[in-house]
Amino acid sequence: MKRVLLLAVIMAAVLSFCVSAEGQNRWGVMGGANFSTAKIENISTKTLTRFHAGLTYRVDLPLGFSIQPSLLYSVKGAAIDGQLQDVDFSVGYLELMPSVQWGPDLLIFRPFLDVSPFIGYGLNTKVKTEINKEAFQNSLNRLEYGVGVGVGLDIWRIQIIGRYNWNFGGIVAAREGDGLFNEQLLKEAMQGANYGGFTLTAAILF
């Protein structure tokens, strides 16, 4: 919880700075693909391809820096590959991501490095499984937070970013005796699991 509060304070400071910063400001729309999976101890998982889309706002700063907060709908999930039970699940998050970017302006294009903390809340879930589906769905953790690191390229008003994302929040928030799983090993492994994976994003800035 302390990490969540710290991340929220940092995001609030970044957004306040964006409002007061001078520079070339641009609104935009963005979307792309999520290639997400789950890191679950001793259990094989498969990558799920999902999507994200939303609005963004870039503020250019001196010395090649820029700050670009984005508000996204982002779907993440994973598939557990049949060792104990087949489970395919995803969560659609409303996600706030204030990116910090740095790169030289080369006139025609601008390559940049990108660091993007994020925090989100799950609006909806989707689960495919033969085990207790309702209990699984109810136990999925709605709060997510983490950081993405990647590289990007601005060409005129087009922006492309590739990131690897670490999600520090657990996938499930299960309690003892909630009947979440038929297999105790799977339950214990899931309680220590979190998301990871790549995102590929394209944006148009106006």
Side-chain angles (χ1 to χ4, degrees), residues 24-46:
Q24 185 176 4
N25 303 342
R26 287 182 175 176
W27 290 95
V29 294
M30 60 168 40
N34 295 343
F35 305 98
S36 63
T37 187
K39 187 176 181 180
I40 304 175
E41 185 177 359
N42 299 324
I43 295 178
S44 175
T45 61
K46 297 183 292 185

Side-chain angles (χ1 to χ4, degrees), residues 83-155:
Q83 291 176 322
L84 296 172
Q85 298 280 0
D86 289 327
V87 182
D88 182 329
F89 62 94
S90 58
V91 182
Y93 296 98
L94 181 63
E95 189 173 88
L96 178 62
M97 176 181 286
S99 300
V100 179
Q101 303 167 355
W102 177 85
D105 188 349
L106 303 179
L107 298 181
I108 299 176
F109 62 93
R110 173 182 175 254
F112 59 87
L113 302 176
D114 175 278
V115 178
S116 300
F118 59 86
I119 189 168
Y121 183 79
L123 301 179
N124 58 281
T125 61
K126 184 177 181 180
V127 176
K128 295 181 181 179
T129 180
E130 295 180 359
I131 64 175
N132 192 335
K133 179 178 178 179
E134 184 177 355
F136 191 109
Q137 212 158 11
N138 292 338
S139 295
L140 287 171
N141 194 353
R142 297 285 181 147
L143 179 66
E144 62 140 7
Y145 59 98
V147 65
V149 177
V151 295
L153 184 67
D154 286 332
I155 305 176

Side-chain angles (χ1 to χ4, degrees), residues 15 18 25-31 52-59 66-73 95-101 112 114 116 154 157-159 161 163 201-206:
L15 293 175
C18 286
N25 303 342
R26 287 182 175 176
W27 290 95
V29 294
M30 60 168 40
H52 59 274
L55 302 175
T56 190
Y57 183 69
R58 191 182 77 183
V59 178
S66 62
I67 296 178
Q68 186 170 322
S70 303
L71 185 64
L72 304 171
Y73 177 73
E95 189 173 88
L96 178 62
M97 176 181 286
S99 300
V100 179
Q101 303 167 355
F112 59 87
D114 175 278
S116 300
D154 286 332
R157 295 182 181 274
I158 305 297
Q159 183 182 80
I161 306 175
R163 297 186 184 95
T201 304
I204 301 176
L205 303 175
F206 302 103

